[in-house]
Amino acid sequence: MSQAQALENRASTVAEAARLFRERGVQGVSVADVMKAIGLTPGGFYKQFGSKETLVAEATIRAFEERGAYLAGLSEAHPDATTARKALLDEYLSPDHRDDPGTGCAAAGLASDIAKTDDDDMGPRETYADGVREFADWLSDTDREDGLAATATLVGAILLARATAGTDLSEDILAAARHSLEAQLS
């Protein structure tokens, strides 16, 4: 296998792991699951990564990079921060985002897994904290506290909406969060 092919396989593995971990949780996804999803056998995994923990760390970075690119795209597509933030609310607090965690927000999709990481291994927590911080900063470029409150509302709302999907309460949670945040982010 060429070095270029090895790099491409590694990138595919990380991207797929980022999706699967958000969708099913780290404990719900094996190395074999990730490799099967990209059409490779698990045999070469440990030459590339060494451990599942290494993959989790890289997948966390990748998931937050994807969200960061999405936010940058919103900023570029909209003339002002308020309009960009309203566009985020439309996407984030939607049934589509609720029902597709694999391509959704890293902060919501990885929260419970990162919370369960070993306290001695701060790498994943620091990566996660950096991603949450960047999301909060994007949400309020003038007041970190407002950005953190908005982030907590968004992440909490999507987690609760996912947990209650299929009930009227799920839709009510999305609508209530939107109503609260529209006033705050204007």
Side-chain angles (χ1 to χ4, degrees), residues 73-120:
L74 284 177
S75 293
E76 202 172 290
H78 297 283
D80 60 74
T82 299
T83 306
R85 290 179 184 123
K86 287 188 185 220
L88 173 72
L89 293 182
D90 289 342
E91 177 269 336
Y92 202 102
L93 297 170
S94 70
D96 287 342
H97 183 228
R98 176 197 61 206
D99 298 341
D100 189 13
T103 60
C105 176
L110 299 172
S112 88
D113 288 307
I114 297 299
K116 295 174 191 169
T117 58
D118 186 349
D119 288 341
D120 294 335

Side-chain angles (χ1 to χ4, degrees), residues 1 9 13 30-52:
M1 174 186 321
N9 288 349
T13 302
S30 68
V31 167
D33 293 335
V34 174
M35 300 308 281
K36 182 180 178 185
I38 61 169
L40 297 174
T41 62
F45 174 83
Y46 292 98
K47 289 181 199 170
Q48 288 279 330
F49 294 95
S51 70
K52 184 177 177 184

